[in-house]
C-alpha cells in the first residue's frame, strides 16, 4: 500500500478482502493457512519492500533456504505490486520466487505464474516494464510539483504543504508552533545539555504524562528530533544526491548556538559507545570487546539458550576445555550494569579527560 492509502484506511483492507475472496474460490488454496505479508506505506518503486529484513524478502528467502516453495502460493492484487523497480531487478526477484516451486497468483489478471509457464514469464516482464514506466513518470511529475511548491513558498513566504515536523501545523497558509509539543522539545534540549541522558528524559516525560502528542516518548524519537536541524528553523532536503538547506524556513524553537552544543554533545556520546553485535536490530552483547574471563583472561562470548534466556561463558572453557570458569546469566549482568549507568552524571563523565 502507498502511504496515502494507509493514512486513509484503504489499500490494505481492500487487498485483504479481495485476496480472501480469491482464495475461497480456489479449491487448491487453503484459507486456513493464510499468512498476510504487510508492507504498509513502503515504496515498491524504490525497492524498499524487497530489502533485507522486510517481510516479503524474508518470506521468499525462507522458502529458498528450506526448499519448500512448492508448499506455498503467493497471492497478490497484481504482480506489479511486488516491485515497480527496474524490470531487470523486479524480474530477478519474481524469478527467484517462482523457481522455489511457488506459484504467484495475479488476482487482477487471473494469471497464475509458474516456473513452467514461459508465456507467462514474457507477459509478466512486459507488465513490470509498464509498471516501472508509470512509476518513473509519476515520480518525475511529483518532483516537478515539489520544485514548484518550494519556489512558491520561498517567494511568497507561504507554508509548504506536505509532511511537517510534528510540532508545527499550518493555519492561514502560515506555520504555527504547537507549543504543547515544541515546549517539551525545548525542555528536553535543556535537560540533555544539563547532563541528563535521553533515557532519563523520556522516563521523566512519560511518567509525568508529558506525551509526544498522543504517544509516549522513546529515546530513538527524542534523539532523532534533537539531531534534526529543523528545530533551528532550517528546512533540509536531498536533491540529486546533495543536501540543500534553507535557513529561517520554519519558526525557530532552538537557537543555532544551543543546537551546536547539542550536536557536539550527542556526537561525544557516540564516541563513548562501542559498536555491538546486532541480531535483526537487537543488541545481543552489550559488552562485546571488553569483557574477559576472571579466571584465565579469555574472551567472553554470549550464547542464546532460548528466545528469552542468554548466558555468557569463557571461550577457553567452552571450546578448548582449558578453563574451569562457569557460565553466567547475561541478562542479570546487563540489567545491573544498565541500572548503574543510569545513575551516572553524563555531563561530568564526558567532560573528564581521563
Amino acid at each position: 500500500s502507498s502511504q496515502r492509502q494507509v493514512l486513509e484506511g484503504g489499500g490494505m483492507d481492500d487487498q485483504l478482502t479481495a485476496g480472501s475472496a480469491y482464495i475461497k474460490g480456489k479449491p487448491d488454496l487453503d484459507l486456513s493457512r493464510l499468512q498476510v505479508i504487510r508492507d504498509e506505506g513502503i515504496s515498491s518503486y524504490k525497492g524498499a519492500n524487497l530489502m533485507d529484513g522486510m517481510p516479503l524478502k524474508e518470506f521468499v528467502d525462507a522458502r529458498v533456504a528450506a526448499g519448500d516453495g512448492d508448499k506455498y502460493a503467493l497471492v497478490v492484487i497484481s504482480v506489479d505490486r511486488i516491485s515497480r523497480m527496474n524490470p531487470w531487478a523486479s524480474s530477478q526477484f519474481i524469478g527467484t520466487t517462482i523457481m522455489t516451486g511457488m506459484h504467484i497468483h495475479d488476482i487482477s489478471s487471473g494469471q497464475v505464474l509458474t516456473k513452467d509457464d514461459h508465456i507467462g514469464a514474457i507477459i509478466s516482464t512486459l507488465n513490470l516494464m509498464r509498471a516501472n514506466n508509470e512509476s518513473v513518470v509519476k515520480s518525475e511529475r511529483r518532483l516537478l510539483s515539489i520544485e514548484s511548491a518550494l519556489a512558491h513558498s520561498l517567494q511568497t513566504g507561504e507554508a509548504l504543504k506536505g509532511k511537517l515536523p510534528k510540532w508545527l501545523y499550518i493555519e492561514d497558509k502560515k506555520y504555527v508552533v504547537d507549543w504543547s509539543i515544541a515546549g517539551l522539545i525545548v525542555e528536553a534540549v535543556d535537560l540533555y545539555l544539563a547532563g541528563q541522558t535521553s533515557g532519563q528524559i523520556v522516563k521523566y516525560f512519560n511518567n509525568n504524562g508529558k506525551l509526544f502528542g498522543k504517544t509516549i516518548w522513546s529515546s530513538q524519537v527524542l534523539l532523532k528530533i534533537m539531531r534534526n536541524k529543523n528545530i533551528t528553523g532550517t528546512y533540509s532536503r536531498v536533491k540529486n544526491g546533495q543536501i540543500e538547506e534553507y535557513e529561517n524556513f520554519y519558526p525557530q524553537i532552538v537557537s543555532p548556538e544551543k543546537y551546536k552544543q547539542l550536536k557536539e554533545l550527542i556526537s561525544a556520546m557516540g564516541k563513548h559507545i562501542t559498536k555491538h553485535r546486532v541480531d535483526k536490530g537487537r543488541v545481543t552483547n552489550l559488552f562485546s570487546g571488553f569483557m574477559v574471563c576472571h579466571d584465565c583472561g579469555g574472551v567472553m562470548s554470549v550464547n542464546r539458550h532460548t528466545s528469552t534466556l542468554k548466558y555468557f561463558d569463557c571461550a577457553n572453557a567452552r571450546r578448548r576445555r582449558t578453563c574451569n570458569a562457569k557460565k553466567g546469566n547475561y541478562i542479570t549482568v546487563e540489567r545491573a550494569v544498565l541500572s548503574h549507568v543510569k545513575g551516572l552524571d553524563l555531563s561530568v563523565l564526558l567532560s573528564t579527560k581521563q
Side-chain angles (χ1 to χ4, degrees), residues 6-280:
V6 171
L7 293 174
E8 292 176 351
M12 288 297 298
D13 291 337
D14 295 338
Q15 292 175 45
L16 184 57
T17 300
S20 298
Y22 177 87
I23 294 172
K24 287 180 181 178
K26 295 291 181 180
D28 56 328
L29 298 180
D30 185 0
L31 186 60
S32 66
R33 294 182 58 215
L34 176 65
Q35 178 181 348
V36 180
I37 300 175
R38 295 178 177 271
D39 286 323
E40 294 100 329
I42 302 299
S43 172
S44 60
Y45 170 53
K46 297 180 180 179
N49 63 321
L50 301 184
M51 294 177 64
D52 288 338
M54 296 304 294
L56 180 58
K57 179 69 162 53
E58 285 195 336
F59 172 72
V60 173
D61 286 348
R63 304 289 71 76
V64 172
D68 60 355
D70 58 337
K71 298 179 181 178
Y72 294 84
L74 183 61
V75 180
V76 295
I77 294 295
S78 176
V79 170
D80 63 36
R81 292 292 185 96
I82 296 177
S83 174
R84 300 176 77 91
M85 291 191 297
N86 180 289
W88 291 110
S90 301
S91 297
Q92 181 180 13
F93 180 81
I94 292 173
T96 298
T97 303
I98 291 175
M99 291 308 293
T100 65
M102 195 185 312
H103 293 179
I104 299 180
H105 292 249
D106 186 320
I107 296 176
S108 62
S109 68
Q111 183 182 19
V112 180
L113 299 178
T114 68
K115 63 181 179 180
D116 298 323
D117 183 6
H118 304 299
I119 301 299
I122 296 174
I123 295 174
S124 173
T125 301
L126 291 174
N127 287 335
L128 292 173
M129 291 175 64
R130 173 188 53 78
N132 177 254
N133 288 334
E134 289 176 354
S135 294
V136 169
V137 172
K138 186 188 296 184
S139 178
E140 290 175 347
R141 286 177 179 172
R142 181 174 177 274
L143 288 175
L144 288 173
S145 176
I146 292 174
E147 291 296 325
S148 176
L150 178 59
H152 179 76
S153 178
L154 292 172
Q155 184 178 4
T156 64
E158 293 182 1
L160 179 65
K161 294 181 180 179
K163 189 175 181 180
L164 290 174
K166 196 167 182 177
W167 45 272
L168 285 177
Y169 63 93
I170 297 176
E171 188 175 277
D172 296 329
K173 298 183 179 181
K174 298 293 183 181
Y175 294 116
V176 180
V177 177
D178 181 354
W179 284 105
S180 67
I181 298 177
L184 293 178
I185 296 173
V186 173
E187 183 179 358
V189 170
D190 290 338
L191 291 172
Y192 197 85
L193 291 176
Q196 291 198 32
T197 65
S198 59
Q200 289 173 326
I201 297 170
V202 164
K203 184 177 180 180
Y204 163 68
F205 280 172
N206 291 336
N207 288 347
N208 288 277
K210 298 183 175 184
L211 303 182
F212 183 50
K214 295 182 179 180
T215 60
I216 63 173
W217 288 88
S218 69
S219 295
Q220 293 84 354
V221 168
L222 179 59
L223 288 172
K224 183 179 180 180
I225 291 173
M226 294 196 297
R227 288 191 184 103
N228 199 317
K229 208 172 181 179
N230 62 21
I231 60 178
T232 68
T234 300
Y235 169 68
S236 305
R237 67 169 184 162
V238 177
K239 181 181 179 182
N240 299 326
Q242 301 293 322
I243 297 177
E244 292 185 352
E245 293 185 344
Y246 301 87
E247 296 181 352
N248 302 314
F249 192 88
Y250 297 128
Q252 180 186 113
I253 61 173
V254 175
S255 69
E257 295 76 21
K258 188 171 288 188
Y259 175 78
K260 182 180 179 181
Q261 297 175 29
L262 180 67
K263 189 174 180 180
E264 290 174 350
L265 183 57
I266 293 175
S267 297
M269 278 290 296
K271 292 178 181 178
H272 285 74
I273 299 175
T274 306
K275 291 183 179 180
H276 306 297
R277 185 175 300 169
V278 174
D279 175 19
K280 292 185 179 180

Side-chain angles (χ1 to χ4, degrees), residues 304-328:
R304 189 182 296 277
H305 181 65
T306 66
S307 60
T308 57
L309 177 62
K310 292 192 293 184
Y311 64 89
F312 59 85
D313 61 0
C314 173
N316 290 331
R318 178 163 51 89
R319 298 173 184 172
R320 302 182 180 88
R321 310 293 182 186
T322 58
C323 179
N324 296 320
K326 297 184 180 297
K327 297 178 181 179

Side-chain angles (χ1 to χ4, degrees), residues 280-298:
K280 292 185 179 180
R282 300 184 299 271
V283 176
T284 59
N285 185 1
L286 191 65
F287 315 111
S288 177
F290 53 90
M291 176 184 275
V292 296
C293 176
H294 177 271
D295 292 353
C296 71

